[in-house]
Amino acid sequence: MVVTAKAADGKELGKVEKHYHPQATNCRDTKMRYGAQWKVANLRDTSLQPAQAKKESIEFDLPAGVREATVTVDLFYENVNPGNKYSIHSITRKVSLDR
Amino acid sequence: MRFLKLILILLFMAVPLIASAEKAKTIDELAKMYDSSRCKECHESIYKQWENSHHARPLMGVKGGLMLTPLATKGATAFSPDDPKKATIKNFPCFKCHLPQAITSAEDSVAVELAEALLAKDSTKVAKLQITCIVCHNTKAIIHKRELGEPKAGVLYSSKAVDSHPDGIFKKVEKSAIMKDSVYCGQCHGLGPNLEFDQAFQCANLYGSYLHSYIPSGASQTCMDCHMQKGDHLIAPNFNDDKGTSELLAKAISLDVQTLGYEWLLKAGTYVPKVVVNTKITTTAGHRIPDG
């Protein structure tokens, strides 16, 4: 998931990425591995779990003078090998500090 | 004279029996042993679904990536042979799930031929090795072998029996005890590290997630309930189909976004303009997404 906040002129104000997947090492060092032939066991699992919502609360501090931002949340599925991306959802919201 | 004739007949009858008990020496022989192309005649729509499924290309990876290549490449993995000519079935522990018939029915010469084909990027040859109808409806259909015995030659297994099956070789279909059960798919979809090998490794462990996260949530659907509705054999997702996969995932995964803009009071007189983005993702799957 990539969450981006942009100012009215298109300038990027902030970007946060969240990666949801099981993560494994070879249990001989501390490097994460991809590839069945090198992985031995998961040591962390941030993947989406059945019957559990995955919630985030992401904050962007705006620079002085900026009172509006366009926020885009892109959710996609990535297949590291061969580098394939499958888009799932893209949601854009305009957020203003004025009312 | 009569005596001799009798012996000759016996010999002729014995030949095909011996041949069928022998292991395959080449990729072509192994492919032929499990060849399911004739099933297409009568089970056309199931066959077409299967042809587009990952089960029909278990050694090809996503988009023809030939993922077993490192295992054939000297020094690339702990499993790789020094020379493809010395490859054995043991150099490919992946066969446990990606090609179970290689373990029961192939000589080491098949591993040599595969290693050479991988190094030569001979996709056509590698693609001949598939999880065919027969692998699923015979080889993997019995897990209670002490009670029920090995899968029988000439018999298919399914969730229901068919007394007289019009195929030339598989003349009947018996009821499998597990083909409506998640444990059936669990045979290959992994519990965690494969610890039975002399070099442990891990691929799929989605069945572990089903057992330890989905079931405890109080849910009870099976893999077939969600993935094989109306006997569907595409058993999606099909990662070679970008559009179809995106659509399927968009249905299965929902994203809720709520935003807020305000000025946070850090300390007296110091306001920090802030945008807060709250996201919530839920899925309808019966296990983790993604796996592996």
Side-chain angles (χ1 to χ4, degrees):
Chain A
M1 183 174 75
V2 179
V3 182
T4 337
K6 284 188 173 161
D9 60 3
K11 194 171 159 262
E12 193 172 289
L13 301 171
K15 185 172 176 177
V16 171
E17 286 190 26
K18 293 281 171 187
H19 301 255
Y20 302 125
H21 60 127
Q23 296 160 37
T25 66
N26 65 3
C27 298
R28 288 188 67 195
D29 58 35
T30 52
K31 289 189 183 69
M32 196 187 102
R33 309 283 162 139
Y34 285 123
Q37 59 274 23
W38 295 297
K39 291 187 290 187
V40 173
N42 293 348
L43 79 168
R44 187 172 178 224
D45 186 356
T46 58
S47 63
L48 308 179
Q49 296 296 312
Q52 273 179 45
K54 181 70 77 182
K55 293 182 185 171
E56 307 288 352
S57 188
I58 293 158
E59 298 181 23
F60 296 107
D61 291 353
L62 304 185
V66 176
R67 299 197 58 83
E68 191 182 271
T70 303
V71 171
T72 305
V73 182
D74 279 318
L75 183 65
F76 48 86
Y77 188 109
E78 217 171 346
N79 230 320
V80 254
N81 195 1
N84 256 20
K85 261 191 190 180
Y86 309 87
S87 53
I88 305 175
H89 296 294
S90 179
I91 295 179
T92 300
R93 293 280 158 77
K94 209 171 229 166
V95 188
S96 171
L97 268 65
D98 297 316
R99 55 190 302 177
Chain B
M1 210 41 216
R2 281 185 78 181
F3 215 77
L4 188 65
K5 202 171 168 188
L6 189 69
I7 289 166
L8 264 172
I9 291 166
L10 269 174
L11 266 174
F12 265 100
M13 282 168 58
V15 170
L17 278 178
I18 293 166
S20 72
E22 252 177 27
K23 289 190 172 187
K25 291 190 183 63
T26 65
I27 286 180
D28 277 336
E29 276 175 31
L30 183 62
K32 191 147 184 270
M33 236 181 228
Y34 288 84
D35 177 34
S36 300
S37 50
R38 69 180 184 284
C39 318
K40 190 180 187 172
E41 267 174 60
C42 306
H43 299 286
E44 201 187 339
S45 63
I46 287 182
Y47 194 91
K48 283 203 177 126
Q49 291 160 347
W50 168 79
E51 262 184 323
N52 286 316
S53 77
H54 280 276
H55 296 127
R57 45 183 150 83
L59 305 189
M60 300 299 289
V62 174
K63 307 216 163 149
L66 292 182
M67 81 282 206
L68 292 187
T69 309
L71 284 98
T73 309
K74 183 182 174 181
T77 78
F79 302 104
S80 318
D82 288 341
D83 174 354
K85 291 226 170 334
K86 291 192 192 130
T88 67
I89 297 294
K90 284 213 162 114
N91 291 114
F92 296 99
C94 326
F95 288 160
K96 173 187 167 187
C97 314
H98 285 261
L99 199 73
Q101 67 268 40
I103 299 168
T104 53
S105 314
E107 298 279 3
D108 287 335
S109 54
V110 171
V112 172
E113 198 185 347
L114 176 62
E116 287 174 339
L118 288 165
L119 294 175
K121 298 193 172 61
D122 186 348
S123 304
T124 318
K125 194 176 255 187
V126 178
K128 288 180 183 172
L129 297 169
Q130 302 174 292
I131 298 175
T132 66
C133 316
I134 298 168
V135 175
C136 276
H137 284 279
N138 178 284
T139 320
K140 302 305 281 185
I142 298 182
I143 58 168
H144 305 86
K145 290 182 183 154
R146 284 185 181 235
E147 289 171 321
L148 305 175
E150 293 286 331
K152 289 174 253 179
V155 175
L156 290 173
Y157 299 83
S158 190
S159 42
K160 79 168 208 273
V162 177
D163 289 339
S164 121
H165 183 248
D167 179 61
I169 295 174
F170 294 98
K171 298 207 163 73
K172 80 183 204 189
V173 183
E174 286 184 13
K175 187 171 154 65
S176 154
I178 55 163
M179 282 185 82
K180 275 190 163 306
D181 240 291
S182 296
V183 70
Y184 172 79
C185 314
Q187 294 179 88
C188 306
H189 279 267
L191 286 160
N194 296 285
L195 292 167
E196 72 272 35
F197 294 95
D198 54 3
Q199 172 88 11
F201 70 98
Q202 177 180 279
C203 188
N205 51 109
L206 181 146
Y207 182 52
S209 168
Y210 172 88
L211 286 178
H212 305 306
S213 296
Y214 178 69
I215 295 289
S217 80
S220 59
Q221 284 188 284
T222 64
C223 316
M224 293 78 174
D225 288 338
C226 294
H227 286 278
M228 296 188 75
Q229 280 176 19
K230 301 195 190 93
D232 172 43
H233 276 65
L234 172 63
I235 316 187
N238 166 10
F239 288 112
N240 285 10
D241 171 5
D242 290 3
K243 193 164 164 279
T245 301
S246 278
E247 285 168 7
L248 210 57
L249 291 172
K251 251 195 266 163
I253 300 175
S254 64
L255 169 66
D256 177 62
V257 175
Q258 301 192 5
T259 54
L260 175 70
Y262 74 113
E263 286 156 89
W264 178 55
L265 188 56
L266 173 64
K267 59 181 187 220
T270 310
Y271 282 96
V272 181
K274 246 186 212 306
V275 166
V276 178
V277 185
N278 290 321
T279 60
K280 184 170 139 191
I281 306 173
T282 49
T283 89
T284 57
H287 41 73
R288 75 164 69 80
I289 299 261
D291 180 51

